[in-house]
Amino acid sequence: MPMTINPADAFSQSYAEARAKFRATAQAAGADLTALKHPMLGPNGEELACDVARFGATDAPAVLWINSATHGVEGYCGSGVQIGLMALGWHRQLPAGVALLLTHAINPHGFAWTRRVNEDNVDLNRNFGPQGVALPVNPGYADIHQWVIPEAFEGAQRDAADGALEHYRAQHGDRAFSQAISGGQFAYPKGLFYGGLTPTWSNRTLRALIDRQLAQAKRFCFIDIHTGLGPLGYGEPSYVGDPTEAAFAECRRWLGDDVSWLERGTGQSTPLHGHIGLPFRPLYAQAKTGPVLGLEFGTLPSSEVRAALRADHWLHTYGSLDSDQGRAIKRRIRDVFYVDTDDWKHQVMVRTDELVGKALKGLAG
Ligand SMILES: [Zn+2]
């Protein structure tokens, strides 16, 4: 579809601005618009919610679903994508029998507070594992946690911690280091990539949305917008749907050969326990079909992303949000997940536009 708007106009500078812009755009576009309110408030006392815009018949046999802010702060990108898709007019060009569903900020607390995690320090994309089974142990993270979030942000203790992490990486290799630090862990509630022990608000909200919004659908495609991994501006589709070869092959036929498969470890991300594809799995047993994907846009080098995440976790564990240091750490974490340039936003919109076109074609059959 030709780009008729300046994509930069679809992006925002705060959660509150993004939310207002999303709701206004969806309303003007004629969406069926609802809000699922979060029980807490944002840093400026603003209401938090997952806003839901749906276009097309309620009993449409196919649904294209674009989700944002699974990882809070990454919602700066996802929100821009969702508003940009409406500005491009996709809701007016839906094939017969295909509905478009936009869920704005499934983790509104993380978005508003400029965190990747939610109100419980939980990484939502590690929180969907089955209940009542033993949680996986990440021995690598246990080895390094004390150095990942040292008590002191600066000085000798911090230098020693950084040195120990570098030593660990040199000894075990980059892939093992990545798995240790970002593969997810369930033992350190204040640590990085903590998956949580029970379903969070965002988890329960997503499950309720799946039950309600896909009840009548026979085919669906769920695309979850992420940032922070991979080359600057590139958007990698990372498959987490039906774990059969046939279903993955079908997804590639729809979206292209550059779709990677998370559980096979063929993409940028290491395999994850409790990822967001899991709550969709019961649908396959009900004879519904369709891919579930993350769409991961590259920002800055992973060393910088990790440094910003460590700083943010340190800030919420030991530091003060209302300080120059706190504000600098917040600016930094936003910058590593949201490249605030017209070029990057343009790349993001062009890639999403391309994949949305392909997904709609696939859904239309
Ligand atoms: Zn993410």
Side-chain angles (χ1 to χ4, degrees):
M1 195 161 281
M3 301 287 279
T4 50
I5 58 151
N6 177 4
D9 294 340
F11 294 75
S12 303
Q13 298 298 324
S14 69
Y15 164 74
E17 184 195 342
R19 182 179 187 213
K21 203 186 282 189
F22 176 81
R23 289 190 61 88
T25 310
Q27 209 134 38
D32 177 5
L33 184 62
T34 50
L36 304 171
K37 285 183 187 143
H38 189 282
M40 296 165 85
L41 297 175
N44 301 305
E46 67 270 44
E47 183 182 273
L48 304 177
C50 174
D51 292 286
V52 180
R54 182 165 169 141
F55 299 93
T58 48
D59 61 350
V63 177
L64 173 60
W65 181 350
I66 314 285
N67 183 54
S68 67
T70 290
H71 288 143
V73 62
E74 298 173 24
Y76 279 100
C77 176
S79 167
V81 160
Q82 293 173 318
I83 294 164
L85 290 174
M86 290 187 279
L88 286 166
W90 273 114
H91 57 286
R92 289 192 300 269
Q93 324 255 342
L94 299 173
V98 184
L100 175 65
L101 177 66
L102 306 173
T103 47
H104 187 268
I106 193 69
N107 168 13
H109 190 278
F111 191 168
W113 287 88
T114 325
R115 299 206 76 191
R116 191 175 167 284
V117 291
N118 76 346
E119 60 278 9
D120 310 310
N121 194 53
V122 166
D123 179 336
L124 183 56
N125 206 24
R126 313 286 187 281
N127 186 237
F128 289 102
Q131 292 292 294
V133 302
L135 288 160
V137 175
N138 181 345
Y141 189 81
D143 288 344
I144 63 178
H145 172 72
Q146 56 172 316
W147 305 318
V148 172
I149 310 173
E151 213 171 314
F153 190 67
E154 289 160 323
Q157 192 197 18
R158 171 63 192 268
D159 294 343
D162 288 357
L165 285 178
E166 266 318 305
H167 182 69
Y168 185 93
R169 181 213 292 274
Q171 246 185 345
H172 298 267
D174 279 349
R175 194 79 181 173
F177 181 69
S178 275
Q179 183 63 32
I181 204 165
S182 58
Q185 53 86 17
F186 297 84
Y188 298 85
K190 288 188 180 296
L192 255 60
F193 303 98
Y194 174 62
L197 304 182
T198 52
T200 59
W201 181 88
S202 300
N203 177 330
R204 298 192 307 271
T205 300
L206 184 76
R207 289 178 191 275
L209 282 164
I210 292 171
D211 287 347
R212 189 185 167 87
Q213 298 286 344
L214 298 181
Q216 316 243 30
K218 296 185 169 57
R219 295 184 306 284
F220 60 92
C221 175
F222 178 84
I223 301 179
D224 194 27
I225 308 294
H226 289 261
T227 61
L229 274 180
L232 179 69
Y234 175 66
E236 179 187 274
S238 170
Y239 182 79
V240 290
D242 186 348
T244 61
E245 295 286 348
F248 179 64
E250 166 97 334
C251 175
R252 277 196 159 180
R253 270 196 301 279
W254 286 16
L255 301 179
D257 286 344
D258 45 5
V259 178
S260 63
W261 193 345
L262 184 114
E263 285 169 350
R264 296 280 168 95
T266 61
Q268 298 285 342
S269 175
T270 54
L272 308 173
H273 176 88
H275 62 71
I276 200 164
L278 298 176
F280 291 86
R281 297 275 162 97
L283 300 177
Y284 301 125
Q286 301 164 30
K288 299 176 194 271
T289 59
V292 177
L293 302 122
L295 176 56
E296 181 78 60
F297 287 100
T299 53
L300 302 184
S302 59
S303 56
E304 292 186 42
V305 175
R306 273 191 198 129
L309 282 173
R310 287 177 67 200
D312 187 59
H313 282 255
W314 175 86
L315 177 64
H316 284 266
T317 307
Y318 298 113
S320 160
L321 285 170
D322 188 16
S323 67
D324 287 345
Q325 187 182 44
R327 282 180 283 275
I329 288 171
K330 283 298 167 193
R331 259 196 309 280
R332 189 68 196 143
I333 190 137
R334 201 192 81 151
D335 287 348
V336 301
F337 287 106
Y338 177 45
V339 181
D340 199 2
T341 65
D342 284 358
D343 267 2
W344 188 79
K345 293 169 192 171
H346 186 74
Q347 283 177 285
V348 164
M349 278 317 303
V350 167
R351 178 65 160 158
T352 314
D353 186 59
E354 176 209 337
L355 290 171
V356 161
K358 289 179 173 174
L360 286 174
K361 221 169 151 182
L363 285 166

